[in-house]
Amino acid sequence: HPRRRKKQRKNGKRTSEKTRACLLYRAGKAAMGDAYVGFANLPNQIHRQAVEKGFEFTLMVVGESGLGKSTLVNALFLADIFQEEPYAKPGGHIPQTMSVEETTVQLEENGVRLRLTVVDTPGYGVAVDNSMCAQPIVQRLHKSFEAYMDDESRIQRSNIHDKRVHCCLYFIAPTGHRLKPMDVEIMKELQDKVNLVPVIAKADTLTDNECALFRERIAEDIKKNNIKVYSFPTQDADEEEDEEEEGDSPSGARPSTSAAMLPFAVSASLQQGDKGPVRSYPWGVLEVENPKHSEFAKLRDLLLRTHMQDLIDRTHQQHYEQYRERKLRELNKGGMSASEVNFMVQFEKEKELREKKMTKMEAEMTHVFSMKVKEKEKKLDESEARLLKQHDEMKKEILAKQKLLEQKRQEFEDEKASVANAKDLASNPQKLSVRKKTGVRLFHG
């Protein structure tokens, strides 16, 4: 009973799924008698299975560097998804080309598990020519759609991970003027591929009048350029009753139709104060969750508390279905209906194309490898010739030194022999007299 549930929530009592099902069965049986069958308990069964399985959500953040994307994401989920980096020093590294980076974390809140993937775009808008900025983002979106479509076409589909982007927060610099031409072009490229939610980053740098005027100008540019942004659906009466039973959100700002006015003017911070996260300035303190200071609480409640499932459903039912229909039409160029498409023939064609592509890649890799091997062999031959030349030169030098050493040794031996003869004659005068008689003269040096 609603009153009983409300009373139990106020008293802080929590009932298990089984107890809740029993209470629902007893209440239904008491109200309808023997006519109560029990299939009214299906929502509880679906809820239990969903909680056991867990949920997946992918969030993309697009915007220039320095607009507080990492801080906003960390503040939204109260987790250290991105590590805060210190301010760049003069001459520090700044990415010159845009890339797409993904970070996946496992979060849990009150027993509900969420596999969150955050897609960041570092280097966005830093190049001189930003005409191709949207290409890596669009490729990432198409790649996720293609991967999901391939997983759906497999025989075993029990473990399908949904990597499709369910929401894209597009950060607009707080210039106070209008949308930049680059912003218009990028948003046009993304409008049919993802749920686009524009936000004014660091809105605390603008006064209230400047922020209101800037918001109006952005809305005019969006309408003028026919840019499709995600419009948060209005809650129906049953949801509003559930909201009243569950109580207000922790931030105290319940989402409503007025809160869905785009773009959101947000300011985020991880510094904690007496009333939640704050931003301290010399002139005062900005309370991030205060609706009078920032629309961060409204964005968080609409994005996570009330419309997360709608974002997931719209991604599957609208953006993914458009991509799937376009792909099937490409496969069905012969005019047949989708049911008449022979997927096995198409599979064989795809397989043949992939094999040709692999053969071509293998041939190219073999050619590159052979060229590198030849280049390496050439370098080795040159090194070998250089070493042989050095060896011959060293061998000749050693032979010359050896010949000179032999010559000096022979001279030493001759001199040694002459010295020995001189000593022998000096010690034996008879030999000296005999030699004198025979006319032999000895010279002593």
Side-chain angles (χ1 to χ4, degrees), residues 425 428-435:
L425 292 175
N428 193 353
Q430 293 180 357
K431 290 183 179 181
L432 180 62
S433 60
V434 171
R435 287 189 177 184

Side-chain angles (χ1 to χ4, degrees), residues 139-321:
Q139 288 178 355
R140 168 60 178 82
L141 297 174
H142 286 172
K143 184 179 178 181
S144 63
F145 287 151
E146 183 179 1
Y148 191 85
M149 189 173 178
D150 291 341
D151 292 339
E152 278 190 331
S153 303
R154 293 179 180 178
I155 300 176
Q156 298 292 337
R157 301 187 300 175
S158 56
N159 297 323
I160 296 179
H161 290 291
D162 188 3
K163 296 184 179 181
R164 297 171 298 179
V165 179
H166 303 113
C167 179
C168 175
L169 293 180
Y170 190 86
F171 287 72
I172 302 173
T175 59
H177 302 293
R178 289 184 175 275
L179 288 177
K180 300 178 182 178
M182 181 181 67
D183 296 332
V184 175
E185 294 299 326
I186 298 298
M187 293 173 74
K188 282 185 176 181
E189 288 288 337
L190 303 180
Q191 61 180 352
D192 294 326
K193 303 172 182 65
V194 68
N195 298 316
L196 191 62
V197 179
V199 296
I200 301 175
K202 293 187 176 182
D204 52 329
T205 59
L206 301 173
T207 63
D208 293 341
N209 296 332
E210 291 175 345
C211 186
L213 181 60
F214 189 36
R215 189 200 304 269
E216 292 178 1
R217 291 174 176 174
I218 292 176
E220 291 176 0
D221 291 341
I222 290 176
K223 185 177 180 180
K224 179 182 178 181
N225 293 279
N226 297 323
I227 300 175
K228 302 175 185 178
V229 297
Y230 176 76
S231 58
F232 291 91
T234 306
Q235 294 176 328
D236 55 17
D238 295 336
E239 292 178 347
E240 289 178 359
E241 289 179 1
D242 293 338
E243 294 288 340
E244 291 177 359
E245 291 180 5
E246 295 177 2
D248 294 339
S249 63
S251 61
R254 185 186 304 169
S256 61
T257 306
S258 61
M261 184 173 59
L262 299 176
F264 293 97
V266 298
S267 299
S269 176
L270 301 177
Q271 179 185 354
Q272 293 296 325
D274 297 335
K275 297 182 180 180
V278 297
R279 293 183 69 90
S280 300
Y281 295 98
W283 44 264
V285 177
L286 181 142
E287 299 174 0
V288 174
E289 296 187 354
N290 189 343
K292 297 181 180 180
H293 296 177
S294 172
E295 294 180 350
F296 171 81
K298 297 179 181 179
L299 174 64
R300 181 187 60 193
D301 291 342
L302 287 169
L303 193 64
L304 307 181
R305 182 170 176 260
T306 60
H307 293 84
M308 176 180 280
Q309 186 60 43
D310 184 73
L311 289 167
I312 297 174
D313 293 341
R314 184 168 297 189
T315 300
H316 180 77
Q317 298 172 4
Q318 183 175 341
H319 302 297
Y320 171 68
E321 286 299 326

